[in-house]
Amino acid sequence: MIDPDVPLETQVARQAKIIDALIRRANREHDLSGSAYSAFQSAVALQGQVWAKTRDLERTESELEVVRSDRERTRRTLTDALAALEGGVALFSEGRLEVCNELFQHLLPDIGARVRPGLSLEDYFEAMAESRHLVSTDRRIHSSLTRARHGPVGTSVLSFVIELAQDRWYQINLQRTSADTLVILQTEITGIVRKNRSEKENLIDEQAQYLQAAFEHMGSGICTFSRDGEVILHNTGFRELLGLPFTLLQKGTSLTQILGFIRANGLFQTADLAEVDGWRDRLARHGRLRRRLRHSGGRVLDLHVHPLPDGGFLVDVKDVTLESRATEMLEKRVGERTAELTRANRRLTAQYEAQARVEEELRVAKEAAEAAVSSKTRFLAAASHDLLQPINAAKLLISTLRESAEGTPLSPSLERLDGSFQSIEEILHALLDISRLDSTDGALTPADVCLGTLMQSVIEDQTPVAAKKGVRLDAVPCSAVVRSDQRYLMRSIQNLVVNAIQYTGAGGRVLVGCRRRPGSVVLEVWDTGLGISAHDQTRIFDEFARAENVPFGSGMGLGLSIVERTCRHMGHKVRVRSKPGVGSVFSIEMQVVPGRRMPAADAPDQPPPSETMDRIVLIVENDPDVLFATTQKLESWGASVLAAASTEEALQMVRDIGMAPDIVLADYQLDRGDTGIEAIKAIRAETGVKVPAIMITADRSPELIRKGAEIGFAVLTKPVQLGRLRPLIDWKTRWQAPEGPGPDKSLP
């Protein structure tokens, strides 16, 4: 019923209240009960409870008395212990003074009467700060007290030193012993402070002697001045270098006296002395001073002045007579050498001016040459369309005539005529390729290229040529992907294969394949042809260079030059191994693109073209000869041809027939800014059908190929190869049915 953890006084009071309540209850039951026996039983029980509570009360009072006695004894013991300590000690609990010894109470006599139990910590420090016996403290008391209240328990949270009257010193330490208890210790350190002060003075005297000894052993003259300009320390060298008397240069001599003596005795030249007169002002402005003085005795002195931390300054004087004479001699020699160099410089300037004029003439000539090359490149690029147009028309007409004259006496002549135009086309392409590779406009466009695709395309093109000559042409499949320009790499492979076929006799063999190497792949073209001598191998990659053993009229020697230029621009390595009468091996080494696999071709295997091309073909071509030749060729294949010279004519023909054509063949460059792209878009928009389209152009730029992939048309370059044109038309009209309106898709 009673919590044993509460104070004993509270337990006794609560027990008395319980006994009083029981007595009142017994009296009330005695008055109300009608049975004497019941009353007797109640009285007996009540008496037992009263005796038990009385014993508890007596035991509790005895324990309380013991606790009070122990507490008083502990307090007396703590007081005696504090009195026995050498320093002042005080115990603050919950911010109030609980107990302290006599030394703590009377450390500051004028506030001793206020140091009594119950004094707050703030009031004690306030009284300490106001005491007239406190001379100084090494920190602010109130800010230190604020930090002490939040310090960790069990450690010293504040320590500072105070100075009292009569040169007495005490160290004050504050330490937290619990969350609400703070102990203050006052330890006298007067003896330690006085001893340190004495040792410091002795050390300063010793250092002064050491410093003086160090000054005396220096090679230059040293003198230190106070902030008032009086001499503090100096060495013998300073006095001797300046020529000052011993009696003048003593401790306490002012700088003004020294300068007055120097001026009165003419120890330095007047100009030098004028410079030194205002040296303290210049030292204050610039932080340092350096002057060279000439002594009347012929010596040359360097004077350096440095500021000191206490406001004084240090003067350093050094004899530099020998150095000055050496410098003067050196300056004289330098002057003589400078004069010689000046004369040589005039000669070199004249030579340089002459060389500059020559270089300017060379620069102008170089710019003119570059402009000529650039003009040639632009001319060839601009003229390529006009040059290839008649060749394209002639090849189409020759092809039509060959089919018509087959089996007649004209057939051999037409075949030779076709071969002549083929040679013209190859030479023209070679010249255009060389021009583009030599231009500064960056004709190459690096991309990830699958070698297998390029090799297969070249093999398909050259197989008929090889079969006609009786040469066996084979290729080993390769799936390596390299970084190169697709068009020019294909041209390089084609040139190597064409050369191999051309210089291999009937019954010979040409093999194309690749060899894997770490990080690279080597494409090789083997042949069993004429072979090349070691002398010719060093020059066959030059323009118009041919081996000595090749027959006359077998080419202009441009193919290998294109290969060498392409490989040089792309960083590929081209090599040749050959033996006359045995054959040759041309190789191109390229870096492999790791982790790349080219996607499979979108188009299925092309079926063989049908005998009759039963299709409506719309041709958009501005050149009348090419338009006529293309129309004749397509009609000979059985197609129904709509021939238009512009986009507007093509749209009108579509409106006339009232339906979309099966395919559109368009030239890229039309008249008056019109293009084949606009024609294809307009026809598709007019018919609402994505009509298959082929762009036949002399433009070989990668931008046009990317545009074709975006809009959806294939690109064939002029002169068009009929062996590719008809299969492509047949595949597009058979396997790519025209689509309805919708987003454009890429077409091969």
Side-chain angles (χ1 to χ4, degrees):
M1 292 171 48
I2 298 176
D3 187 359
D5 296 332
V6 301
L8 292 175
E9 295 87 344
T10 304
Q11 295 184 26
V12 173
R14 291 182 180 177
Q15 288 177 356
K17 290 181 181 179
I18 294 171
I19 294 171
D20 184 60
L22 292 174
I23 294 173
R24 287 198 302 272
R25 178 180 177 185
N27 292 335
R28 185 167 58 252
E29 290 180 354
H30 178 73
D31 293 339
L32 298 177
S33 175
S35 172
Y37 181 77
S38 298
F40 175 76
Q41 285 183 333
S42 299
V44 173
L46 179 60
Q47 183 65 31
Q49 294 178 1
V50 169
W51 287 348
K53 295 301 179 182
T54 301
R55 287 194 301 270
D56 293 341
L57 181 59
E58 290 175 352
R59 185 171 60 254
T60 301
E61 289 178 348
S62 176
E63 292 176 354
L64 179 60
E65 185 63 27
V66 172
V67 170
R68 288 175 177 171
S69 176
D70 292 343
R71 181 177 179 182
E72 185 63 27
R73 185 169 58 254
T74 302
R75 186 178 184 87
R76 287 196 304 271
T77 303
L78 178 60
T79 303
D80 294 342
L82 293 179
L85 295 176
E86 294 183 358
V89 182
L91 176 65
F92 285 83
S93 179
E94 296 182 353
R96 298 285 178 177
L97 178 63
E98 286 286 339
V99 63
C100 67
N101 62 2
E102 186 177 355
L103 180 59
F104 182 88
Q105 184 177 7
H106 299 291
L107 179 65
L108 299 172
D110 55 346
I111 67 171
R114 298 170 60 182
V115 181
R116 293 288 184 270
L119 178 68
S120 68
L121 189 62
E122 290 83 356
D123 292 341
Y124 172 73
F125 278 103
E126 185 69 29
M128 177 188 289
E130 296 174 356
S131 174
R132 66 177 179 274
H133 292 276
L134 181 66
V135 177
S136 65
T137 178
D138 62 349
R139 63 178 68 189
R140 296 182 62 183
I141 296 178
H142 295 290
S143 61
S144 302
L145 179 60
T146 301
R147 293 194 301 273
R149 286 185 173 277
H150 303 284
V153 175
T155 59
S156 178
V157 296
L158 181 62
S159 179
F160 60 93
V161 177
I162 60 175
E163 180 185 4
L164 304 184
Q166 299 178 355
D167 195 26
R168 297 169 59 207
W169 297 81
Y170 279 83
Q171 181 176 1
I172 309 298
N173 291 318
L174 282 76
Q175 184 169 355
R176 296 181 65 86
T177 59
S178 64
D180 56 356
T181 303
L182 186 68
V183 176
I184 299 179
L185 304 176
Q186 298 172 342
T187 306
E188 185 173 6
I189 58 173
T190 303
I192 298 175
V193 172
R194 292 176 180 176
K195 182 179 179 181
N196 289 340
R197 185 187 301 160
S198 176
E199 291 178 352
K200 181 178 179 181
E201 291 175 354
N202 292 335
L203 182 61
I204 290 175
D205 293 340
E206 292 177 0
Q207 292 297 329
Q209 295 176 5
Y210 293 152
L211 186 61
Q212 182 66 45
F215 279 5
E216 290 296 338
H217 288 84
M218 286 186 177
S220 57
I222 302 293
C223 185
T224 60
F225 292 83
S226 67
R227 69 169 63 209
D228 298 326
E230 296 179 349
V231 175
I232 300 176
L233 288 174
H234 72 281
N235 63 358
T236 305
F238 184 80
R239 179 176 57 81
E240 293 177 350
L241 288 175
L242 295 181
L244 302 176
F246 180 81
T247 55
L248 174 66
L249 194 62
Q250 298 295 327
K251 184 175 182 180
T253 303
S254 67
L255 178 63
T256 304
Q257 293 175 310
I258 296 175
L259 292 178
F261 179 85
I262 292 174
R263 186 182 297 106
N265 291 273
L267 298 182
F268 293 96
Q269 296 180 7
T270 305
D272 295 338
L273 185 61
E275 287 186 0
V276 176
D277 253 354
W279 65 336
R280 293 203 64 180
D281 295 335
R282 286 191 290 273
L283 182 63
R285 291 196 304 270
H286 304 293
R288 63 186 180 89
L289 178 67
R290 179 176 180 177
R291 290 290 183 271
R292 174 159 290 190
L293 308 176
R294 295 186 176 273
H295 197 272
S296 58
R299 294 192 303 271
V300 180
L301 305 178
D302 268 357
L303 183 142
H304 299 261
V305 184
H306 308 278
L308 298 177
D310 60 353
F313 52 91
L314 182 145
V315 181
D316 176 14
V317 180
K318 184 182 295 184
D319 188 351
V320 293
T321 305
L322 296 179
E323 180 183 344
S324 177
R325 291 175 181 174
T327 302
E328 291 175 357
M329 184 180 299
L330 181 61
E331 289 177 351
K332 181 179 179 181
R333 292 181 180 177
V334 169
E336 296 173 354
R337 184 59 178 168
T338 301
E340 295 177 3
L341 292 175
T342 302
R343 292 190 295 271
N345 185 57
R346 293 194 187 98
R347 294 192 299 271
L348 291 175
T349 301
Q351 296 176 3
Y352 172 77
E353 291 175 353
Q355 183 179 357
R357 288 192 298 271
V358 173
E359 290 180 352
E360 179 63 19
E361 294 174 357
L362 291 176
R363 185 187 64 81
V364 173
K366 180 176 178 292
E367 290 180 353
E370 290 178 349
V373 171
S374 178
S375 176
K376 177 199 68 173
T377 301
R378 290 194 300 270
F379 167 77
L380 291 175
S384 61
H385 181 269
D386 295 336
L387 292 172
L388 293 174
Q389 284 286 75
I391 295 177
N392 187 44
K395 287 188 64 177
L396 291 172
L397 291 173
I398 291 172
S399 177
T400 303
L401 289 175
R402 285 184 61 188
E403 292 179 358
S404 301
E406 188 175 356
T408 66
L410 295 176
S411 179
S413 299
L414 291 173
E415 185 173 351
R416 290 180 177 274
L417 182 62
D418 185 32
S420 299
F421 273 96
Q422 183 71 27
S423 300
I424 294 174
E425 178 187 354
E426 291 177 358
I427 294 174
L428 180 58
H429 280 305
L431 292 175
L432 291 175
D433 287 340
I434 292 176
S435 176
R436 292 190 186 99
L437 291 172
D438 286 341
S439 69
T440 59
D441 299 332
L444 299 177
T445 305
D448 293 348
V449 180
C450 178
L451 285 180
T453 304
L454 299 186
M455 292 166 57
Q456 184 63 29
S457 178
V458 172
I459 294 301
E460 290 177 357
D461 287 344
Q462 299 303 319
T463 295
V465 179
K468 185 177 180 179
K469 193 176 180 182
V471 175
R472 178 183 172 185
L473 176 60
D474 296 313
V476 179
C478 177
S479 59
V481 177
V482 297
R483 188 73 176 173
S484 185
D485 180 273
Q486 180 174 355
R487 180 161 63 104
Y488 280 96
L489 181 58
M490 182 174 178
R491 287 280 295 169
S492 299
I493 299 173
Q494 184 178 18
N495 288 341
L496 295 179
V497 174
V498 168
N499 283 355
I501 296 173
Q502 182 177 1
Y503 299 120
T504 300
R509 185 184 179 187
V510 176
L511 176 63
V512 182
C514 296
R515 293 182 185 273
R516 293 277 189 169
R517 291 182 179 176
S520 65
V521 62
V522 181
L523 184 143
E524 296 181 344
V525 179
W526 293 66
D527 66 65
T528 59
L530 298 176
I532 306 171
S533 65
H535 170 71
D536 290 335
Q537 291 178 25
T538 60
R539 63 183 187 88
I540 56 173
F541 291 104
D542 298 336
E543 298 91 341
F544 306 105
R546 293 183 302 171
E548 296 177 353
N549 58 341
V550 300
F552 180 77
S554 57
M556 298 294 295
L558 296 175
L560 293 180
S561 176
I562 296 173
V563 175
E564 190 275 333
R565 280 173 165 79
T566 301
C567 293
R568 174 159 40 89
H569 285 301
M570 295 305 304
H572 304 333
K573 298 177 181 178
V574 58
R575 301 183 180 90
V576 60
R577 305 193 311 271
S578 185
K579 185 176 181 180
V582 176
S584 305
V585 180
F586 285 85
S587 62
I588 301 175
E589 183 175 359
M590 298 158 280
Q591 295 295 319
V592 175
V593 179
R596 282 298 311 273
R597 288 187 177 182
M598 299 303 289
D602 294 333
D605 294 336
Q606 295 180 358
S610 59
E611 294 297 331
T612 302
M613 185 183 294
D614 188 13
R615 297 287 184 269
I616 299 176
V617 182
L618 175 59
I619 303 176
V620 185
E621 171 63 66
N622 62 326
D623 188 295
D625 294 335
V626 176
L627 182 61
F628 173 77
T630 306
T631 302
Q632 292 292 320
K633 189 61 182 178
L634 291 175
E635 287 180 348
S636 70
W637 289 345
S640 300
V641 181
L642 301 176
S646 65
T647 301
E648 186 60 34
E649 290 185 16
L651 290 175
Q652 186 60 45
M653 291 181 177
V654 170
R655 297 188 187 104
D656 291 342
I657 64 175
M659 60 182 296
D662 294 314
I663 192 169
V664 176
L665 306 183
D667 187 12
Y668 177 58
Q669 296 178 355
L670 302 176
D671 294 334
R672 293 183 295 276
D674 194 7
T675 65
I677 295 178
E678 297 300 327
I680 294 171
K681 288 181 177 179
I683 293 169
R684 289 176 176 176
E686 177 69 24
T687 60
V689 176
K690 189 173 181 180
V691 181
I694 300 174
M695 185 75 67
I696 302 176
T697 177
D699 192 327
R700 297 169 177 262
S701 64
E703 290 76 11
L704 182 60
I705 297 176
R706 286 195 292 268
K707 196 72 173 177
E710 293 174 3
I711 298 176
F713 59 80
V715 178
L716 287 180
T717 57
K718 292 182 179 179
V720 65
Q721 297 183 15
L722 299 179
R724 289 188 176 184
L725 177 61
R726 182 166 181 178
L728 184 57
I729 294 175
D730 191 70
W731 177 76
K732 278 184 166 291
T733 55
R734 284 177 179 270
W735 300 95
Q736 277 192 277
E739 301 175 0
D744 286 347
K745 297 182 179 179
S746 297
L747 299 176

